[in-house]
Amino acid sequence: MEQKGQQKRIFLSSPHMGGNELNYINEAFETNWIAPIGPNVDAFEKEIASYVGVSEAVAVSSGTAAIHLALSLLDVKKGDQVFCSTLTFVASANPILYQGAEPVFIDSEPETWNMSPQALEIAFKEAFMDGRMPKAVIVVNLYGQSAKMDEIVSLCNQYDVPIIEDAAESLGSTYKGKASGTFGKFGVFSFNGNKIITTSSGGMLVSNDVEALKKARFLATQAKDPALHYQHSTIGFNYRMSNILAGIGRAQLEVLEERVQARRLLFNRYTQELGFIPGINFMPELKHTQSNRWLTALTIDEKVIGTSVYSILSTLAEENIEARPVWKPLHMQPLFVGVKYYYHSENSSVSEHLFNTGLCLPSGSNMTVEEQMRVIDCIKNAIREKVK
Ligand SMILES: *Cc1c(COP(=O)(O)O)cnc(C)c1O
């Protein structure tokens, strides 16, 4: 609720409809395809597959569901280990627990803020020595920035461990000209309300392994054996996307490129206005990659600036502006106490440093220039207050 005298709330990342959504929804109503199957689902899957350049895609109820399906398809079960980026949203790792398996967290490196190939290599070496190789590696592309895929893919190939690319935040990004989400055995996208395009809730599993995706469809619809009576011989899930929501997705995909450009423009304006301030460093963009800049993220050097991340966050909150710290690394979460963690280098935990100094700014593609200037002025004031 808006308080009296308070300015309009600026959100971190709010849904931004393209205009065609209701046409697809109306079509679903007119043809009575109000179900977790139907023409919008089929078309949305084909359109995403063609957009990112993979053989097939399976539309599901969330990004989390897509990760869970990928782990099931790779036969991850109790007692297995799965390597996972530590600097991410909890949804990257929760499905490991659903399967009764154990996560092992891998630190970030400073150039992409994503999985450190150096730490991954050490983790692989130790796993190999222990005779306990992971069943999969979940690599996250944080805030739209691709991880160092060449290095990570090469290590995973060397140890023959499949990759699940958690591209929930990086739809529309590229790495050396190739679409984010297409570097692993499986790729995962999310269409949650805060993502670059949304179906309110939804996700997509992509792969070039058509047989595996056929099985994904089977598992996602309660694993019904081919019989007239209801017969089941494996555990299934109810994970398919609604035909109504797929209609929203089709219209959103039509404007994805615009959304990427809008977010990149916001990022550029933030860097123009704040990048010159000593002690402020924006999240880098690796050479030969393009980030969709889902969220503009930066770090604050408190010693140089004299203001902490938390003090800037509270100043923004007072002005009715939603901003957030960078994801709290999963190895620091109470949920994962005691879980193994591999540092980037002996005396540097990059993800912990990013968490302690990092900040995500409002980055919605529907934000106006005036709104963005409000955010920028507020940050400048928060810094000046302390310098006085
Ligand atoms: C949003 C997100 C997910 C989960 O997607 P949902 O559709 O919300 O289930 C997984 N991983 C990352 C990195 C995310 O940002």
Side-chain angles (χ1 to χ4, degrees), residues 62-64 67 88-89 91-92 140 166 168-169 190 192 195 202 327:
S62 69
T64 311
I67 297 171
T88 182
F89 181 46
S92 303
V140 178
D166 180 350
E169 301 177 2
S190 165
N192 203 331
K195 297 288 156 58
W327 297 125

mmCIF file of all heavy atoms in Angstrom, residues 62-64 67 88-89 91-92 140 166 168-169 190 192 195 202 327, ligand 1:
data_model
loop_
_atom_site.group_PDB
_atom_site.id
_atom_site.type_symbol
_atom_site.label_atom_id
_atom_site.label_comp_id
_atom_site.label_asym_id
_atom_site.label_seq_id
_atom_site.Cartn_x
_atom_site.Cartn_y
_atom_site.Cartn_z
ATOM 1 N N SER A 62 7.556 -24.373 -13.482
ATOM 2 C CA SER A 62 8.526 -23.416 -12.917
ATOM 3 C C SER A 62 9.941 -23.801 -13.344
ATOM 4 O O SER A 62 10.177 -24.930 -13.802
ATOM 5 C CB SER A 62 8.450 -23.421 -11.383
ATOM 6 O OG SER A 62 8.942 -24.641 -10.865
ATOM 7 N N GLY A 63 10.862 -22.883 -13.133
ATOM 8 C CA GLY A 63 12.268 -23.176 -13.372
ATOM 9 C C GLY A 63 12.750 -24.255 -12.411
ATOM 10 O O GLY A 63 13.539 -25.127 -12.773
ATOM 11 N N THR A 64 12.274 -24.193 -11.180
ATOM 12 C CA THR A 64 12.639 -25.187 -10.169
ATOM 13 C C THR A 64 12.229 -26.585 -10.635
ATOM 14 O O THR A 64 13.007 -27.543 -10.508
ATOM 15 C CB THR A 64 11.941 -24.860 -8.826
ATOM 16 O OG1 THR A 64 12.145 -23.478 -8.535
ATOM 17 C CG2 THR A 64 12.472 -25.708 -7.698
ATOM 18 N N ILE A 67 14.652 -27.885 -13.218
ATOM 19 C CA ILE A 67 15.899 -28.391 -12.633
ATOM 20 C C ILE A 67 15.654 -29.773 -12.013
ATOM 21 O O ILE A 67 16.451 -30.698 -12.185
ATOM 22 C CB ILE A 67 16.452 -27.414 -11.561
ATOM 23 C CG1 ILE A 67 16.805 -26.070 -12.211
ATOM 24 C CG2 ILE A 67 17.679 -28.011 -10.860
ATOM 25 C CD1 ILE A 67 17.158 -24.965 -11.218
ATOM 26 N N THR A 88 23.903 -18.085 -5.803
ATOM 27 C CA THR A 88 22.671 -18.229 -6.580
ATOM 28 C C THR A 88 21.469 -18.254 -5.649
ATOM 29 O O THR A 88 21.597 -18.268 -4.433
ATOM 30 C CB THR A 88 22.717 -19.509 -7.442
ATOM 31 O OG1 THR A 88 21.519 -19.592 -8.230
ATOM 32 C CG2 THR A 88 22.818 -20.771 -6.587
ATOM 33 N N PHE A 89 20.312 -18.256 -6.270
ATOM 34 C CA PHE A 89 19.050 -18.397 -5.563
ATOM 35 C C PHE A 89 18.908 -19.860 -5.127
ATOM 36 O O PHE A 89 19.373 -20.768 -5.820
ATOM 37 C CB PHE A 89 17.927 -18.000 -6.522
ATOM 38 C CG PHE A 89 16.545 -18.053 -5.948
ATOM 39 C CD1 PHE A 89 16.253 -17.515 -4.714
ATOM 40 C CD2 PHE A 89 15.513 -18.616 -6.682
ATOM 41 C CE1 PHE A 89 14.966 -17.550 -4.202
ATOM 42 C CE2 PHE A 89 14.219 -18.656 -6.183
ATOM 43 C CZ PHE A 89 13.951 -18.129 -4.937
ATOM 44 N N ALA A 91 16.709 -21.946 -5.311
ATOM 45 C CA ALA A 91 16.020 -22.850 -6.243
ATOM 46 C C ALA A 91 16.998 -23.644 -7.110
ATOM 47 O O ALA A 91 16.644 -24.708 -7.620
ATOM 48 C CB ALA A 91 15.064 -22.067 -7.135
ATOM 49 N N SER A 92 18.229 -23.148 -7.274
ATOM 50 C CA SER A 92 19.220 -23.911 -8.047
ATOM 51 C C SER A 92 19.540 -25.230 -7.353
ATOM 52 O O SER A 92 19.825 -26.222 -8.017
ATOM 53 C CB SER A 92 20.524 -23.114 -8.196
ATOM 54 O OG SER A 92 20.304 -21.877 -8.800
ATOM 55 N N VAL A 140 25.210 -21.820 -12.870
ATOM 56 C CA VAL A 140 24.262 -20.703 -12.903
ATOM 57 C C VAL A 140 24.874 -19.522 -13.664
ATOM 58 O O VAL A 140 26.075 -19.271 -13.564
ATOM 59 C CB VAL A 140 23.920 -20.270 -11.462
ATOM 60 C CG1 VAL A 140 22.976 -19.080 -11.458
ATOM 61 C CG2 VAL A 140 23.320 -21.438 -10.687
ATOM 62 N N ASP A 166 21.694 -23.659 -15.412
ATOM 63 C CA ASP A 166 20.600 -22.898 -14.815
ATOM 64 C C ASP A 166 20.622 -21.492 -15.418
ATOM 65 O O ASP A 166 21.324 -20.594 -14.942
ATOM 66 C CB ASP A 166 20.758 -22.848 -13.295
ATOM 67 C CG ASP A 166 19.643 -22.065 -12.615
ATOM 68 O OD1 ASP A 166 18.859 -21.411 -13.326
ATOM 69 O OD2 ASP A 166 19.567 -22.088 -11.366
ATOM 70 N N ALA A 168 18.028 -19.564 -15.671
ATOM 71 C CA ALA A 168 16.779 -18.936 -15.233
ATOM 72 C C ALA A 168 16.833 -17.418 -15.369
ATOM 73 O O ALA A 168 15.823 -16.774 -15.647
ATOM 74 C CB ALA A 168 16.490 -19.317 -13.778
ATOM 75 N N GLU A 169 18.044 -16.865 -15.187
ATOM 76 C CA GLU A 169 18.180 -15.403 -15.217
ATOM 77 C C GLU A 169 18.780 -14.903 -16.524
ATOM 78 O O GLU A 169 18.959 -13.697 -16.688
ATOM 79 C CB GLU A 169 19.091 -14.969 -14.040
ATOM 80 C CG GLU A 169 18.549 -15.398 -12.690
ATOM 81 C CD GLU A 169 19.466 -15.058 -11.509
ATOM 82 O OE1 GLU A 169 20.530 -14.451 -11.726
ATOM 83 O OE2 GLU A 169 19.100 -15.404 -10.376
ATOM 84 N N SER A 190 13.444 -19.761 -16.538
ATOM 85 C CA SER A 190 12.334 -19.471 -15.625
ATOM 86 C C SER A 190 11.521 -18.309 -16.171
ATOM 87 O O SER A 190 12.072 -17.363 -16.740
ATOM 88 C CB SER A 190 12.868 -19.103 -14.243
ATOM 89 O OG SER A 190 11.845 -18.495 -13.472
ATOM 90 N N ASN A 192 9.232 -16.788 -14.012
ATOM 91 C CA ASN A 192 8.630 -16.242 -12.802
ATOM 92 C C ASN A 192 8.370 -14.740 -13.005
ATOM 93 O O ASN A 192 8.939 -14.138 -13.910
ATOM 94 C CB ASN A 192 9.587 -16.476 -11.627
ATOM 95 C CG ASN A 192 8.851 -16.454 -10.299
ATOM 96 O OD1 ASN A 192 7.828 -15.786 -10.161
ATOM 97 N ND2 ASN A 192 9.361 -17.165 -9.327
ATOM 98 N N LYS A 195 11.337 -12.292 -13.678
ATOM 99 C CA LYS A 195 12.356 -12.596 -14.683
ATOM 100 C C LYS A 195 12.197 -11.711 -15.927
ATOM 101 O O LYS A 195 11.238 -10.961 -16.039
ATOM 102 C CB LYS A 195 12.304 -14.085 -15.048
ATOM 103 C CG LYS A 195 12.621 -15.003 -13.851
ATOM 104 C CD LYS A 195 14.088 -14.973 -13.448
ATOM 105 C CE LYS A 195 14.422 -15.349 -12.030
ATOM 106 N NZ LYS A 195 14.022 -16.644 -11.536
ATOM 107 N N GLY A 202 6.353 -20.157 -14.347
ATOM 108 C CA GLY A 202 6.588 -21.122 -15.411
ATOM 109 C C GLY A 202 8.061 -21.347 -15.635
ATOM 110 O O GLY A 202 8.908 -20.620 -15.098
ATOM 111 N N TRP A 327 22.680 -12.294 -4.041
ATOM 112 C CA TRP A 327 22.265 -13.566 -3.414
ATOM 113 C C TRP A 327 23.214 -13.949 -2.278
ATOM 114 O O TRP A 327 24.430 -13.887 -2.449
ATOM 115 C CB TRP A 327 22.277 -14.724 -4.415
ATOM 116 C CG TRP A 327 21.352 -14.633 -5.578
ATOM 117 C CD1 TRP A 327 21.721 -14.720 -6.900
ATOM 118 C CD2 TRP A 327 19.922 -14.507 -5.571
ATOM 119 N NE1 TRP A 327 20.597 -14.637 -7.692
ATOM 120 C CE2 TRP A 327 19.483 -14.502 -6.909
ATOM 121 C CE3 TRP A 327 18.967 -14.392 -4.562
ATOM 122 C CZ2 TRP A 327 18.149 -14.391 -7.271
ATOM 123 C CZ3 TRP A 327 17.626 -14.266 -4.922
ATOM 124 C CH2 TRP A 327 17.241 -14.267 -6.263
HETATM 125 C C1 LIG B 1 14.314 -17.740 -10.518
HETATM 126 C C2 LIG B 1 15.409 -18.710 -10.435
HETATM 127 C C3 LIG B 1 15.175 -20.082 -10.371
HETATM 128 C C4 LIG B 1 13.821 -20.690 -10.159
HETATM 129 O O1 LIG B 1 12.884 -20.417 -11.109
HETATM 130 P P1 LIG B 1 11.333 -20.506 -10.677
HETATM 131 O O2 LIG B 1 10.636 -20.385 -11.984
HETATM 132 O O3 LIG B 1 11.080 -19.348 -9.759
HETATM 133 O O4 LIG B 1 11.101 -21.805 -10.024
HETATM 134 C C5 LIG B 1 16.264 -20.941 -10.395
HETATM 135 N N1 LIG B 1 17.500 -20.481 -10.460
HETATM 136 C C6 LIG B 1 17.786 -19.161 -10.491
HETATM 137 C C7 LIG B 1 19.196 -18.728 -10.585
HETATM 138 C C8 LIG B 1 16.744 -18.234 -10.459
HETATM 139 O O5 LIG B 1 17.029 -16.930 -10.459
#
